[in-house]
Amino acid sequence: MSEKVIITGGSGRLGRAVVAGFAAAGHDVVSLDRGLPEEPVPGVDYRSIDLMNAEATHVAFKEISPQAVVSLAAMAVPFMAPEEVLLQTNATIAHNVTSAAVESGATRVVLASSPSIMGYGSPGGWVPEKLPLDENETPRPWHAYGLSKYVAEQIAAMFAAKMGPRSPVKFASFRPCFVIAEEEWDGAPTQQGHTVAERLQDPKLSAPALFNYVDARDVADFLLLLLERFDRVENGAVFFVGAKDAMATRPLSEIIPEIYPELASLATGLTGDSPAFSIEKAREVIGWEPKRSWRSELKAKV
């Protein structure tokens, strides 16, 4: 069924794939972002807007009157701006968009979070309760980016609590792993500057993210299925969204102890191609399964 959907951040690395996926599925897509894409998707309504401006955001949403909203807009990586700027920007955008979505009559609102909220890589040390990580593990963000994404999750939960269980409006957030855009399988640099092949050849490049990744098109598929099956989702729910395997050529049960000895005992079960992030909740609740892996998509040999 075709619906009018606002996608914020539609010009970004993940946003481009989500916009294309929703348009291909037949939805009436409006992309709201500060900048416009170099290669717009035919039929998509692209609009430039400062989502930090609450009034402008509310006006735009009321005029568009979406049925669903997927909010991806944010400063995209840790330390790309001063910590106070990053925190204020991402938290403000998340609140402005969610508030405007509710007032405009949207019935489903999805906010992008990040696995980095879990706290891995902390200079103060980090040992989780178990591996693989799942949605029951308590987030322990150690930088403003991670904190801002945790705030985004809490904003979704806050609106769900505020509106109550009988509300027709439902909220969710999701934690997309290290996003690989389609062109990056062909050798284009990832958001950290090196290529996918280089991440696989040198485990230390993928180690800071605990070898997580996901194809941007698989995220689009997840979001389409989530909106379709929102009736199965607890209001304010959170999901990890990642590939079914790890970004590594050897089992993580071997690699993690070499790089993070403190996690050795937790990694013993990560045999074969098992990732350090569980996607079982997305599988069980909405029936989502990622279709793409570096093993099938990567053009270069490693």
Side-chain angles (χ1 to χ4, degrees):
M1 181 179 68
S2 176
E3 295 186 294
K4 178 168 282 190
V5 182
I6 286 178
I7 298 173
T8 74
S11 299
R13 171 181 268 99
L14 176 57
R16 287 182 283 116
V18 173
V19 165
F22 272 67
H27 291 296
D28 182 2
V29 178
V30 181
S31 172
L32 300 182
D33 208 332
R34 187 185 293 272
L36 301 177
E38 295 181 2
E39 299 180 8
V41 175
V44 173
D45 181 2
Y46 291 93
R47 305 188 189 187
S48 178
I49 184 174
D50 180 6
L51 295 168
M52 287 284 287
N53 185 321
E55 182 178 359
T57 302
H58 280 254
V59 169
F61 273 62
K62 285 183 179 179
E63 191 231 314
I64 296 165
S65 189
Q67 291 161 285
V69 174
V70 175
S71 186
L72 310 175
M75 289 188 169
V77 293
F79 310 115
M80 65 180 293
E83 293 283 82
E84 68 276 9
V85 174
L86 206 157
L87 176 59
Q88 181 180 22
T89 299
N90 288 359
T92 300
I93 288 174
H95 187 273
N96 286 351
V97 167
T98 307
S99 176
V102 171
E103 289 196 12
S104 68
T107 59
R108 284 147 297 154
V109 184
V110 185
L111 300 181
S113 179
S114 167
S116 69
I117 73 172
M118 304 313 295
Y120 49 84
S122 171
W126 177 80
V127 178
E129 293 181 5
K130 64 180 184 301
L131 290 174
L133 295 169
D134 62 26
E135 294 83 357
N136 293 321
E137 177 80 18
T138 301
R140 288 181 280 159
W142 63 271
H143 46 56
Y145 174 79
L147 178 58
S148 74
K149 289 300 186 177
Y150 192 28
V151 170
E153 292 186 4
Q154 295 305 306
I155 287 171
M158 179 192 77
F159 273 88
K162 176 181 179 180
M163 302 189 71
R166 292 187 177 86
S167 170
V169 188
K170 297 197 74 172
F171 306 86
S173 51
F174 72 105
R175 302 165 179 168
C177 290
F178 187 86
V179 173
I180 305 295
E182 189 172 358
E183 66 271 13
E184 291 165 12
W185 296 123
D186 297 322
T190 66
Q191 62 185 3
Q192 289 186 338
H194 45 255
T195 66
V196 174
E198 289 170 337
R199 289 179 76 83
L200 288 164
Q201 291 162 357
D202 183 358
K204 291 182 180 179
L205 294 177
S206 278
L210 286 185
F211 308 93
N212 77 60
Y213 80 102
V214 67
D215 188 294
R217 295 165 294 177
D218 278 332
V219 179
D221 291 343
F222 164 82
L223 291 167
L224 284 164
L225 198 58
L226 176 63
L227 292 188
E228 178 186 328
R229 298 178 177 177
F230 234 126
D231 60 316
R232 306 181 185 182
V233 177
E234 181 182 0
N235 211 357
V238 179
F239 295 92
F240 275 116
V241 178
K244 62 185 177 182
D245 56 357
M247 179 69 79
T249 58
R250 291 187 290 138
L252 296 190
S253 57
E254 297 177 11
I255 301 177
I256 285 179
E258 296 171 359
I259 300 175
Y260 300 114
E262 67 275 18
L263 303 181
S265 63
L266 298 178
T268 55
L270 301 181
T271 57
D273 61 2
S274 297
F277 296 79
S278 172
I279 55 172
E280 286 306 308
K281 183 175 179 179
R283 283 171 167 150
E284 293 174 2
V285 176
I286 65 170
W288 173 74
E289 186 71 30
K291 301 173 184 175
R292 301 163 183 92
S293 161
W294 68 262
R295 291 171 168 82
S296 62
E297 303 300 318
L298 184 63
K299 305 303 186 292
K301 293 183 179 180
V302 294

